[in-house]
Amino acid sequence: MILNELLLPIFVVLITLILGAGVVDYLHHATSALGKQMSLRRSLNPLAPLYRLGLALSQQSVITEHPDRLNLRLAPALYFALAALGLAVVPWSADFIPADLVTGMVLWGAVEVLATVVIFLCGWSANAHLPLLGAYRYVSLGLSYMLVSMFVLIGVALPAESLQLSAVVESQREIWNVLRQPMGLPLFLIVGLGLTFWGPLDFASSPDLDRGISADQSGASRLVWQLARYAMLVAFSFMAATVFLGGWLGPWLPGPLWLVLKATLVLLILLWMGHNLPVMTPDKFISVAWVLLLPLSFVDLIWAGALALW
Amino acid sequence: MVGIWTDITFYLCAAIAVFSGWRVFRTDSMVRASFLLLISFLAVGVIMLLLAAVYLGTALFFMMAVEMMVMALFMVMFMMNPAGLNPMNMVHQPWVAALLGFAVFTGLSLVAVYGEFPANPAPADLDPVRSLGRELLGDSMLVFESAGIALLATMIGTVVLSSHRGRYGPANEGSEPPGLDPGGPPAKSAAQKQQQREEQKEQEEDKQDHDQ
Amino acid sequence: MAVSLWQRLAARASVPVFVASGKDEPDEIQDMLWQTGRIKLVFTPRHASLLVVTGQIPVEQSQSLAIIHDQLPHPRATLWCGGQPCFEFIAAKRAPSPQTLVASAEDLPQRIKETQKQLLSGKRQSEPDLNPDRPPAPWQGKGDHGQGGEGMMGGKPYGRPMAMMEADLRDGLMLDALEFSVGPFYHGLPAGLMASVSLQGDVILKWQVESPPFPTALPSVFVRALHQDTPLADLEIWRVRVHLQRLARMMALDGLDCAAVRTLRLAGPLPCITQAGLGALQKQVGSLEKHLRKRGFFALGAGIGELDAQQANLMGGYVGRACGMQEDARSTSKPYQALGFTVSCQDKGDVQSRRLQLFAEVHQAIALAAKAGREEVMLTHEEIETPVGRLTKRQAPKDHSEMLQSLLPGMEWREALMTLASLPVAGATREGGWQ
Amino acid sequence: MTLTMLLIVGAALIGTGLYGALSQQSFVMLMMGLELMLNGIMLYAVAFWALAGHGIPEGQLLTIIVMAVMAIEMAMGFALVVAVFRTSQADTTEALQDLKH
């Protein structure tokens, strides 16, 4: 009983995150190398993530001058733990849900916000100016898309009449939310970019700050942070696939496989955006977030509410 | 079996909540202080989950995370000791405060121990989230909505209070920084100091020219 | 110690390299490494395992380079390409490290890979620190609570002054300002530029230039055209090349790595391009521009880094033309007039119009090169329009870093770096120095 | 986990919060003290709701209201801090001598 109820879910979540992080690393570098028209054989080498792992582990892990050691060490672990928490509420099939919380959606919201705290801590605790700047910039911008995330998620909970993710999946049996609320997924993807500070919303570790919060990480400590960030991408993809693409629902194939396929699709979209869209300037993003995204998410919510009443 | 684990979790969370709540006022760094407070809130949130208040527990997580994040940002913007690099101690009347705090704790604990409360636990088949939702949008809608109106009023008030231009012009017109010591000369901003230095330099140069 | 499994795996990974560019060395080497497989250019020394120093580092910057060197995690090594090593006098008393000099840039990728292999297999020792590893000021205070000085603001606790409030440029609220210095090897700045910066959040309060950027070496073809007949097509092709390289750097700053590498690939082999190749190039540049336009590369620069007429006049070159000034040395020269050259302009003078102007000039230059190549036009003129400004026998394009002190304050950090990348701040020098 | 234990934990939080609110000089730290007291109060409300109030929905409602109060307290608090800071650059209670009279 304990095996099935406690160990199996933990095992599944951790394995998914770690394997998923490897897949993200592979896809990220492979698509980047293809975009740069590098040699095909080398850029598609399936062992490349292992080589990078080896490189990270054989480098020294540098410490900045007088950092806040506890938080510096803790932040990557916490970021990973948050990813695990977020993934835990995702249902894999009708009867396998690692943590079937009644308020799964609210928990995901909490994960998003706590991630902001953890990312800030990571940059702040290094006691160096570039990571600090990255952290501040991230927080001051991050708070502006959190609201969008809340409204979009409430919109998804409306047709399900529940905050439980298994109910949200059930509510998509006839029509997926991506069709029912056409604005939801694009808005949610933007939130995902912000949550993982990826691509156009990479404010925490942008190129102009010399990689911001990662600027003073090296070796193993950088590896752990990267792992956590990739894990968060994976968790987000699973969540997006669950709330907008019908989760494990689908014909012919078993449920979990459908879920993985849909999550991979979301992941590929995110990676594509990362390589092809320029990093926004903070100033422009603030205006876009408040003037465009927030009203759009209102419209999305009203749309969802009207449909639910009708 | 389940009961033991619940108890262990409860005592752990209670210890964390109180300990980190106390550490809030014992750390040099404002950022650390606000995150310690966050930990205290998170621990209370877990206790609420244990008490089957599922919605409240999880809502507390994200409410407090946002709040503490904003707090940390503000701290660093204003406070003289942003990163907690310099030890500092900014307290007044610590002993009176500690005594009062302890007295309140003792009083409330005595009430808790000796007071008589009805043992009337929530029914096992209660769906707390659903019942909360029905209450919020049913009988107590007025209360709930007035909380919403109050928040709206807060938003407007906040913007008015903190904006640069008040109703009668710039909000900081004619203001002067406080003294470093009580009654002492005001602390100057770096810009003012720079200006002062430059003026001094010019004066000296003038003097030199004069001498020559 | 036996070579661990990790090190064996690591030997097959891409080699992370940090490039520090010195004097008299165009960014050619950096651009070349960028396109090379199995080498990964990184932005910060912490992520690198090899330090590649290109060109000569002036003595006064060698201490900064030593700091960069010490930031590399072990195992690390330094490769010197095109300049003399400058660490000896810093590390004279410490254990001397093997100095690897690379004679030609072509060898560099190979040497980088070899050195990384040697490092990982333990055949080559990791280079020791050049500076002693101790904090710049003692980490202890002396006040009542260890705060360093007397009173709240007194002293320099732990070697760091208390943060002082400064008025926010935008709404006057007094907030903490963060002071630090960047350069001379910060990748977002032109090589050699050192500045002490005061930031409030993201906004730049003060930008003080400590040392100007190293002058960039002008391609010799422009200098030659001052004295002797030079094929006009060559001039224009070099213009395309320099412009594309500048654009690639802007793309990298915006996180568009793939597009940047594509651009460099177009620019790299340009000097030996054929007539037929020019037609294809025109198309490729067109599709690149379209790609970037769709992704918002140009729109991103709208309203950022606007220059007034005076500043634009001072800068001249494409910056002036992006500001709407009809000034171009080419319009006064006969061969250009014969080819039907007209000055193209933008009107706004912000980063967006500079990006557009660069692309417009690239297109124009390709067309001119094609036409001039067919007619084999030769050119000698006392005024040459180089990609970075006007060149005469007496005067090279000047250094404009002083202007940054008034231009950058008030901008956000990101906007400032975008502006910097779009301006030819560094002065120019002929290969081997300017007389 | 009995009601008594929950109430004692809540009392400890309130006591600590009171100590902080009274002893801290800086506005923001003072607000932290208030928040900690409200934290204890929320724990009280939930404890009574779950173990003494037969799970009546008003118990949860009370907690929601306390959360709203916290949000209001913090937003207004910070707005006041900014306003005070603009006019007199004060961020500690001692620096505000004018309010005494």
Side-chain angles (χ1 to χ4, degrees), chain C residues 254-428:
Chain C
D254 284 354
L256 290 169
D257 284 2
C258 295
V261 171
R262 265 179 68 188
T263 314
L264 286 180
R265 265 175 215 277
L266 290 182
L270 272 185
C272 31
I273 197 165
T274 58
Q275 270 297 315
L278 278 174
L281 180 71
Q282 185 78 282
K283 267 200 208 101
Q284 281 165 322
V285 171
S287 81
L288 180 72
E289 191 185 355
K290 204 172 138 204
H291 173 91
L292 289 169
R293 191 183 299 276
K294 260 194 270 172
R295 310 287 188 265
F297 173 69
F298 299 107
L300 200 68
I304 293 175
E306 274 180 61
L307 297 185
D308 56 36
Q310 196 194 351
Q311 289 164 326
N313 200 9
L314 208 64
M315 281 260 180
Y318 73 89
V319 179
R321 291 192 287 280
C323 233
M325 280 188 268
Q326 301 271 349
E327 241 178 71
D328 197 319
R330 285 178 283 178
S331 57
T332 59
S333 108
K334 289 246 163 56
Y336 275 108
Q337 285 166 355
L339 286 172
F341 171 81
T342 51
V343 183
S344 75
C345 278
Q346 307 288 323
D347 46 0
K348 287 230 193 58
D350 54 4
V351 171
Q352 180 185 26
S353 49
R354 285 197 280 280
R355 288 176 174 184
L356 286 169
Q357 177 68 22
L358 281 173
F359 261 109
E361 289 195 13
V362 165
H363 280 301
Q364 193 184 29
I366 297 174
L368 281 173
K371 214 166 170 193
R374 273 194 303 274
E375 297 167 15
E376 296 190 357
V377 184
M378 303 301 267
L379 172 90
T380 331
H381 200 250
E382 64 268 20
E383 266 191 340
I384 297 292
E385 184 73 25
T386 74
V388 291
R390 187 165 297 196
L391 175 75
T392 62
K393 276 180 186 162
R394 254 167 269 116
Q395 217 175 19
K398 276 205 219 82
D399 179 273
H400 296 290
S401 53
E402 289 288 312
M403 187 202 286
L404 300 176
Q405 296 182 172
S406 59
L407 182 65
L408 297 184
M411 286 189 200
E412 290 187 356
W413 179 255
R414 169 74 190 284
E415 296 173 353
L417 287 203
M418 280 169 76
T419 310
L420 260 172
S422 72
L423 297 174
V425 176

Side-chain angles (χ1 to χ4, degrees), chain A residues 2 66 68 71 101-103 106-107 109-110 113-114 116-117 120-121 124 127 136 139-140 143 146 150 161-163, chain B residues 1 29 31-32 35 38 42 49 54-55 58-59 61-62 65-66 69-70 72-73 76 82-85 127 129-130:
Chain A
I2 286 190
H66 217 82
D68 185 331
N71 286 325
L101 203 66
V102 193
T103 49
V106 190
L107 188 76
V113 185
L114 286 169
T116 323
V117 174
F120 174 80
L121 266 185
W124 176 81
N127 188 19
Y136 282 148
V139 171
S140 51
L143 292 175
M146 286 297 154
M150 297 296 137
E161 299 184 9
S162 168
L163 294 167
Chain B
M1 182 67 191
S29 153
V31 171
R32 255 176 244 146
F35 289 135
L38 176 61
L42 293 185
L49 286 183
V54 194
Y55 180 79
T58 32
F61 290 166
F62 79 72
V66 176
M69 199 63 249
V70 174
L73 264 189
V76 179
L85 293 174
D127 185 348
V129 183
R130 206 163 282 273

Side-chain angles (χ1 to χ4, degrees), chain A:
Chain A
M1 190 203 92
I2 286 190
L3 184 80
N4 268 341
E5 288 194 355
L6 202 67
L7 291 184
L8 186 66
I10 293 178
F11 184 73
V12 167
V13 166
L14 289 185
I15 288 294
T16 313
L17 285 183
I18 290 171
L19 279 185
V23 172
V24 174
D25 183 65
Y26 173 72
L27 288 176
H28 174 53
H29 284 90
T31 45
S32 152
L34 288 181
K36 289 174 188 163
Q37 299 160 349
M38 298 283 186
S39 106
L40 207 62
R41 191 178 56 84
R42 195 175 290 133
S43 46
L44 293 181
N45 184 356
L47 290 178
L50 274 184
Y51 301 158
R52 285 188 281 273
L53 179 74
L55 185 65
L57 287 177
S58 44
Q59 267 190 341
Q60 179 202 10
S61 171
V62 185
I63 288 280
T64 44
E65 186 199 346
H66 217 82
D68 185 331
R69 266 168 213 274
L70 178 70
N71 286 325
L72 196 64
R73 294 268 176 258
L74 217 54
L78 287 176
Y79 196 38
F80 187 84
L82 284 175
L85 202 62
L87 188 61
V89 290
V90 170
W92 288 76
S93 69
D95 39 44
F96 181 64
I97 308 167
D100 193 16
L101 203 66
V102 193
T103 49
M105 300 279 256
V106 190
L107 188 76
W108 174 258
V111 165
E112 283 179 358
V113 185
L114 286 169
T116 323
V117 174
V118 171
I119 293 166
F120 174 80
L121 266 185
C122 177
W124 176 81
S125 55
N127 188 19
H129 58 265
L130 290 174
L132 184 76
L133 284 175
Y136 282 148
R137 190 189 276 185
Y138 179 77
V139 171
S140 51
L141 298 174
L143 292 175
S144 52
Y145 63 73
M146 286 297 154
L147 290 172
V148 176
S149 158
M150 297 296 137
F151 288 122
V152 169
L153 287 180
I154 294 172
V156 176
L158 275 176
E161 299 184 9
S162 168
L163 294 167
Q164 200 163 10
L165 279 158
S166 46
V168 172
V169 174
E170 278 305 321
S171 76
Q172 302 179 68
R173 209 168 259 287
E174 284 163 15
I175 178 170
W176 290 356
N177 278 336
V178 66
L179 298 174
R180 185 154 45 194
Q181 301 165 12
M183 268 181 298
L185 186 58
L187 285 173
F188 197 54
L189 282 179
I190 293 174
V191 174
L193 288 178
L195 178 65
T196 49
F197 46 103
W198 196 262
L201 302 193
D202 187 359
F203 296 120
S205 61
S206 58
D208 59 311
L209 286 175
D210 270 5
R211 296 292 165 216
I213 51 177
S214 301
D216 279 313
Q217 295 172 331
S218 73
S221 60
R222 176 154 173 256
L223 175 79
V224 181
W225 182 249
Q226 290 277 46
L227 174 77
R229 187 180 175 201
Y230 289 156
M232 189 54 102
L233 262 176
V234 173
F236 174 81
S237 308
F238 273 86
M239 183 51 78
T242 301
V243 294
F244 284 106
L245 299 178
W248 51 268
L249 293 175
W252 313 306
L253 296 173
L257 199 57
W258 268 118
L259 182 66
V260 170
L261 284 178
K262 291 170 184 173
T264 315
L265 178 71
V266 177
L267 192 63
L268 284 173
I269 297 177
L270 288 177
L271 291 181
W272 182 88
M273 292 208 261
H275 290 308
N276 281 289
L277 299 179
V279 183
M280 296 270 277
T281 56
D283 197 34
K284 286 212 173 71
F285 176 70
I286 280 279
S287 336
V288 170
W290 289 96
V291 178
L292 186 69
L293 298 183
L294 197 59
L296 274 184
S297 67
F298 281 140
V299 174
D300 178 66
L301 184 58
I302 292 169
W303 173 278
L307 272 189
L309 280 180
W310 180 56

Side-chain angles (χ1 to χ4, degrees), chain B residues 34-143:
Chain B
S34 60
F35 289 135
L36 280 168
L37 188 58
L38 176 61
I39 292 175
S40 177
F41 275 113
L42 293 185
V44 169
V46 174
I47 296 180
M48 287 186 183
L49 286 183
L50 292 179
L51 286 169
V54 194
Y55 180 79
L56 293 178
T58 32
L60 193 68
F61 290 166
F62 79 72
M63 281 273 305
M64 289 310 130
V66 176
E67 230 177 292
M68 292 307 127
M69 199 63 249
V70 174
M71 217 162 201
L73 264 189
F74 263 81
M75 305 272 180
V76 179
M77 275 160 60
F78 286 118
M79 298 300 146
M80 291 178 292
N81 192 9
L85 293 174
N86 308 321
M88 67 195 298
N89 191 7
M90 288 174 63
V91 290
H92 48 195
Q93 61 207 15
W95 287 109
V96 181
L99 217 63
L100 270 175
F102 188 73
V104 166
F105 166 67
T106 325
L108 287 175
S109 303
L110 287 178
V111 173
V113 174
Y114 293 108
E116 298 240 333
F117 301 106
N120 204 356
D125 58 344
L126 176 78
D127 185 348
V129 183
R130 206 163 282 273
S131 83
L132 175 64
R134 295 210 178 282
E135 181 70 20
L136 286 184
L137 297 178
D139 295 343
S140 305
M141 196 168 189
L142 188 64
V143 181

